Amino acid sequence: MTWLERLDPQRTWPGFLGAAGVGLTVLFVFMEPAPTDVLGLPALIVFWALHVFATLALAQACQVVISRHLAPRENPWLSIAAAGLAASTLVTPLALGLDHLMVAPLDPAEDGSWTLAAVLEEWIALAPPVTLVWLGLNAVRFLRLSPDAPAPSTSTPSGSGSHEPDFMRRLPAARRGQLIALSAELHYLRVHTTLGDALILQGFGEALAQLGPDAGLRVHRSHWIDPRFVAGVSREGGRMKIELVNGVALPVARSRRGEVTSVLTGEAAPAGV
């Protein structure tokens, strides 16, 4: 995937998040909510861009930690709400700091004190909108990408046998071909099939659990492949990549090169690899 494709808001989650950040910044700049009416246009843009993008970055970081490490098997929407609350807590001191640096010197009525009451008041003001916006952004993206997909399941179907994994049943009908590869995109999952690719709200680790330990080959902490769909292997600058039949190239982690080579060549991996 090229850098231009990675920034496409209709194709990737980071691109969508960036576009949403720009939109929210513009919205706040034109609304000029008090007390920022004392700021000029350039300062307003900087002020709200820092607020918006810092909040989105913190929400995404919290989302990754929660969905991958703290509660990987919980309902995705609960982890999204938790990430919004956590992000509002982390962004509270930043918001107070920006008010103190950019607004208080221009507005005599603005109190720049850092009392416990002021911090609590700021968090109470931030937590509901931050959590709702984070839920809304994920809902818009999820519903747009998978309009005919049922709600995410909190159960873990068996990955053995011929049963289709739950995440495959949540792909758009036109993309439900044979599974080629999986790639983690933050707390979303890109599913590559013989009929195309789709992005769904699904944890990477949970998807691998549904497939089972004997299915396919994990070539990187964020990528899994079915070796039957490998078109070739390339090496450049000390880096190894797997080239798939659908034209996608995925990186191979250094620690997994021996296993990947042995699987693709049919030879036993060297001892200690």
Side-chain angles (χ1 to χ4, degrees):
M1 185 181 295
T2 66
W3 281 108
L4 188 60
E5 290 174 328
R6 292 180 186 276
L7 295 176
D8 184 353
Q10 294 186 337
R11 181 172 175 81
T12 70
W13 172 249
F16 176 78
L17 209 56
V22 172
L24 288 169
T25 299
V26 171
L27 177 65
F28 285 122
V29 166
F30 281 98
M31 286 177 58
E32 286 190 85
T36 58
D37 51 3
V38 299
L39 298 176
L41 181 59
L44 268 178
I45 295 174
V46 172
F47 182 86
W48 287 115
L50 289 173
H51 272 82
V52 169
F53 282 96
T55 301
L56 293 179
L58 287 170
Q60 183 57 68
C62 293
Q63 186 70 62
V64 170
V65 172
I66 291 171
S67 60
R68 290 186 182 179
H69 305 292
L70 300 181
R73 297 182 182 275
E74 293 298 322
N75 186 302
W77 296 108
L78 292 178
S79 68
I80 289 170
L85 287 172
S88 64
T89 302
L90 294 175
V91 84
T92 293
L94 174 62
L96 285 173
L98 288 173
D99 287 346
H100 179 72
L101 290 173
M102 300 183 68
V103 177
L106 300 176
D107 187 358
E110 178 69 13
D111 183 8
S113 60
W114 282 69
T115 64
L116 179 60
V119 173
L120 182 60
E121 182 181 1
E122 185 75 9
W123 181 81
I124 291 174
L126 286 173
V130 167
T131 303
L132 288 175
V133 167
W134 188 239
L135 281 166
L137 289 175
N138 279 272
V140 168
R141 185 63 174 169
F142 177 60
L143 295 175
R144 179 182 177 85
L145 288 168
S146 304
D148 59 344
S153 172
T154 57
S155 62
T156 305
S158 172
S160 60
S162 59
H163 297 291
E164 185 180 47
D166 177 69
F167 69 84
M168 288 294 291
R169 294 194 295 270
R170 290 170 39 216
L171 295 178
R175 304 292 176 88
R176 293 176 191 167
Q178 290 180 276
L179 180 61
I180 295 177
L182 301 174
S183 294
E185 291 191 13
L186 301 176
H187 61 292
Y188 281 83
L189 181 72
R190 184 167 297 281
V191 183
H192 298 274
T193 75
T194 51
L195 296 180
D197 66 89
L199 199 64
I200 61 173
L201 183 57
Q202 173 74 56
F204 183 64
E206 181 67 14
L208 295 187
Q210 292 177 21
L211 287 170
D214 299 324
L217 179 63
R218 187 170 183 175
V219 299
H220 188 276
R221 65 184 179 88
S222 300
H223 304 291
W224 172 97
I225 65 167
D226 185 332
R228 297 176 300 169
F229 296 99
V230 173
V233 178
S234 65
R235 296 177 183 269
E236 182 179 353
R239 297 179 180 178
M240 181 178 179
K241 287 187 176 182
I242 295 290
E243 298 173 356
L244 302 173
V245 295
N246 60 349
V248 172
L250 299 177
V252 178
R254 185 180 299 273
S255 61
R256 298 183 182 271
R257 291 179 184 176
E259 180 186 2
V260 170
T261 300
S262 66
V263 170
L264 297 182
T265 61
E267 300 175 355
V273 174

